[in-house]
Amino acid sequence: MDLYDVIVLGAGPPGENLAERVRAAGLSVAVVESELAGGECSYWACMPSKALLRPPTALAEARRLAGAREALTGDLDAAAVLGRRDAFAAHWDDSGQVDWIRSTGAEFVRGHGRIDGPCRVIVETPAGVQRLLTARHAVAVCTGSTAALPDLPGLPEALPWTNREGTGAREVPGRLAVVGGGPVAVELAYAWQALGADVTMLVRGGRLLERMEPFAGEHVAEGLREAGVDVRFGVSVGGVRRPDPEGEITLELDDGGQLVANQALFATGRRPRTDDIGLETVGLEPGAWLPVDDTLRVTGVSGDWLYAVGDVNHRALLTHQGKYQARIAGAAIAARAHGGTELDTARWGAHQATADRDAVTQVVFGVPEAAAVGLTVAEAEERGLRVRAVDFDLGRVSGAVLFADDYRGHARMVVDRERGVLVGATFVGPGVSELLHSASVAVVGEVPVERLWHAVPAYPTISEIWLRLLETWRDGEDGGGESGGAG
Ligand SMILES: Cc1cc2nc3c(=O)[nH]c(=O)nc-3n(C[C@H](O)[C@H](O)[C@H](O)COP(=O)(O)OP(=O)(O)OC[C@H]3O[C@@H](n4cnc5c(N)ncnc54)[C@H](O)[C@@H]3O)c2cc1C
């Protein structure tokens, strides 16, 4: 039997970070990983998708600048882009990540882990050997999520792409159908269209990026269409046919139509990887998301030993939010292990996650980019806040106009009128992703709007949007215009 202070199940970014945190607090830790250390993010999600997107984005931006445009004589080199993607996915070799985990002093255990009652994990190694690990203090489930496919006739046999093939494919399909309208669908539609595929997006609802302010999806849809993507709204797939797994795929649409393509990517949501991790041995339901408190401790399990960090708890399915949770959970586990019932923030660090609920940051890449933090107007109103939406056209900001000819974009800050602080911000336009952190600092710091006048943006940068938003806020306040909601 191997005894550790903490056992981490799953070595995605949150699992790795949690291990590092508890090691730094002097605890022993074993990290169990069934596939590749680094998780979905490193090999089939964030890294390869952004590596696919950056060359087309740079090219599209250069095409929008007179003087630079004239220097562009060729097309994107798809093979070179895919090769660069392979390098960013470390050629699907996790030895670098395993070395890093070991460098923290953690033990790395390759194999499929299953909880076997409180504080026990049985690992089935690739050699078929079973190894029992026991935790003195905590087991952290960091097993992430996987693509959720709709229950459609013919779909499993049709072998559709999920995010794995959508980020890892080695050849560009001639015609690609992309089902979905969220961030994964948007980014991969943009990337594969730029790489040479004819992409058709089938979106069930009426807009893209439904979790962001509506204008973000509108600008992104316009950008996709300009890039050549056929974006169709209000279309559901009712069935799929692919008699020859190597041949064309036919999507039967609810409106009676069909779409024939060489490949179909389903970006239709995520489900938790909890179906085969032994949850039933501690009274939890296999296959379910794991609800947690703000210290990332699983609720509904007695004792203080079970934590769930990253996608698996369903709070915010993003790498940086999972790593944030890992820092919080690491501090909480360390504090409790060292005997603290009252968690001592000064000693162990912050141990209550709030940003993954109140200040989630997200960027959707492409041209334009969409970047958001915190609450939309609709979300703020659902929480009962009396807010004012302050809007400004980014195409009227001098730094933006310099950034690209015919710059199109939009910004909104959502201000809590009672407290005079920002609760959310959304930017859409080329190059806006780097604006986001300024908004995050304002939201998390609860900086009074009036104080933001003293954060002077450099001229001429896109950040001058802050001045324009503040002027719009001031003019609205002077005019006394009560504009609760989206007004
Ligand atoms: C196409 C795409 C693009 C994305 N882009 C971004 C982005 O740009 N930025 C961003 O912040 N987020 C992005 N995300 C989201 C991001 O990938 C996830 O939020 C992140 O990977 C979650 O980390 P995780 O560790 O919770 O899960 P995962 O990364 O899925 O890692 C879980 C790990 O646990 C292992 N595991 C599972 N079960 C077991 C078991 N029983 N025993 C041992 N090991 C096990 C798995 O093999 C895996 O390595 C993207 C997602 C997709 C699909």
Side-chain angles (χ1 to χ4, degrees):
M1 184 183 75
D2 298 304
L3 181 64
Y4 299 88
D5 290 323
V6 180
I7 299 169
V8 176
L9 204 54
E16 290 176 323
N17 276 263
L18 177 54
E20 190 274 336
R21 282 285 147 153
V22 292
R23 277 296 304 137
L27 301 178
S28 63
V29 56
V31 179
V32 184
E33 172 55 51
S34 57
E35 285 188 87
L36 295 178
E40 206 73 11
C41 177
S42 304
Y43 309 102
W44 302 286
C46 330
M47 269 313 196
S49 63
K50 269 76 240 180
L52 289 175
L53 282 160
R54 183 61 199 142
T57 305
L59 188 61
E61 286 177 358
R63 283 202 174 112
R64 291 171 80 157
L65 284 174
R69 175 187 314 135
E70 287 72 10
L72 301 171
T73 51
D75 278 334
L76 203 68
D77 180 340
V81 176
L82 294 178
R84 186 170 182 270
R85 179 275 320 266
D86 293 353
F88 273 91
H91 301 277
W92 293 272
D93 170 357
D94 71 349
S95 47
Q97 305 255 3
V98 172
D99 287 349
W100 182 82
I101 292 170
R102 289 192 173 131
S103 76
T104 67
E107 178 169 354
F108 180 74
V109 182
R110 181 88 65 188
H112 185 101
R114 290 183 189 88
I115 294 167
D116 180 44
C119 293
R120 286 160 56 97
V121 170
I122 293 179
V123 182
E124 199 174 317
T125 70
V129 176
Q130 291 212 340
R131 205 174 140 185
L132 171 64
L133 312 181
T134 306
R136 256 189 224 101
H137 300 294
V139 173
V141 177
C142 306
T143 51
S145 66
T146 189
L149 290 175
D151 186 16
L152 293 177
L155 188 59
E157 306 79 54
L159 305 176
W161 277 11
T162 66
N163 65 290
R164 291 226 166 173
E165 297 79 10
T167 54
R170 296 183 183 278
E171 281 176 23
V172 181
R175 285 160 297 153
L176 176 67
V178 174
V179 183
V184 174
V186 162
E187 289 188 343
L188 294 179
Y190 190 88
W192 288 105
Q193 178 74 32
L195 286 164
D198 263 329
V199 177
T200 304
M201 279 184 89
L202 303 174
V203 187
R204 194 169 48 181
R207 63 181 170 105
L208 300 178
L209 305 179
E210 283 190 339
R211 299 226 172 125
M212 289 192 179
E213 297 282 9
F215 66 79
E218 286 161 21
H219 278 263
V220 167
E222 191 182 306
L224 283 164
R225 284 183 169 136
E226 280 178 13
V229 176
D230 178 2
V231 187
R232 302 185 194 171
F233 291 106
V235 190
S236 289
V237 179
V240 179
R241 279 186 293 117
R242 190 181 221 170
D244 170 5
E246 307 276 300
E248 289 179 330
I249 185 165
T250 303
L251 306 184
E252 306 286 355
L253 309 181
D254 277 4
D255 62 8
Q258 299 190 325
L259 180 69
V260 181
N262 301 99
Q263 194 48 266
L265 163 66
F266 277 72
T268 42
R270 309 287 298 170
R271 64 180 174 80
R273 284 180 71 167
T274 56
D275 35 6
D276 186 20
I277 61 164
L279 288 184
E280 62 287 353
T281 68
V282 291
L284 294 171
E285 190 195 334
W289 301 102
L290 289 175
V292 290
D293 67 15
D294 288 347
T295 65
L296 289 311
R297 204 170 34 179
V298 176
T299 55
V301 176
S302 57
D304 278 344
W305 66 279
L306 189 62
Y307 291 73
V309 179
D311 279 12
V312 78
N313 64 35
H314 209 227
R315 279 167 74 113
L317 280 69
L318 290 158
T319 291
H320 47 275
Q321 299 295 338
K323 285 160 72 175
Y324 163 75
Q325 293 174 357
R327 296 190 283 272
I328 305 273
I333 290 170
R336 289 185 179 122
H338 289 287
T341 40
E342 284 300 312
L343 299 180
D344 177 356
T345 310
R347 188 143 177 241
W348 304 113
H351 47 68
Q352 297 274 331
T354 51
D356 58 350
R357 192 180 46 228
D358 299 334
V360 174
T361 40
Q362 179 162 28
V363 174
V364 179
F365 291 85
V367 178
E369 293 172 342
V373 57
L375 307 180
T376 61
V377 169
E379 287 167 344
E381 286 177 345
E382 267 169 36
R383 291 191 185 191
L385 299 179
R386 200 167 64 87
V387 292
R388 181 173 155 212
V390 182
D391 285 276
F392 201 84
D393 175 0
L394 266 163
R396 290 168 54 211
V397 173
S398 42
V401 177
L402 270 167
F403 188 88
D405 299 339
D406 184 29
Y407 191 102
R408 274 163 288 153
H410 193 85
R412 167 175 290 178
M413 61 179 192
V414 182
V415 180
D416 179 342
R417 299 184 69 103
E418 307 276 324
R419 293 184 299 142
V421 298
L422 258 70
V423 292
T426 302
F427 308 95
V428 61
V432 296
S433 53
E434 296 296 342
L435 279 181
L436 187 62
H437 198 62
S438 54
S440 305
V441 171
V443 170
V444 174
E446 301 182 62
V447 183
V449 175
E450 292 306 321
R451 184 72 197 151
L452 288 175
W453 284 105
H454 300 277
V456 184
Y459 174 81
T461 61
I462 304 178
S463 294
E464 284 201 308
I465 182 63
W466 283 108
L467 289 180
R468 305 290 91 83
L469 288 169
L470 289 172
E471 286 158 3
T472 310
W473 160 258
R474 176 203 60 200
D475 295 346
E477 290 303 281
D478 286 352
E482 165 67 49
S483 48

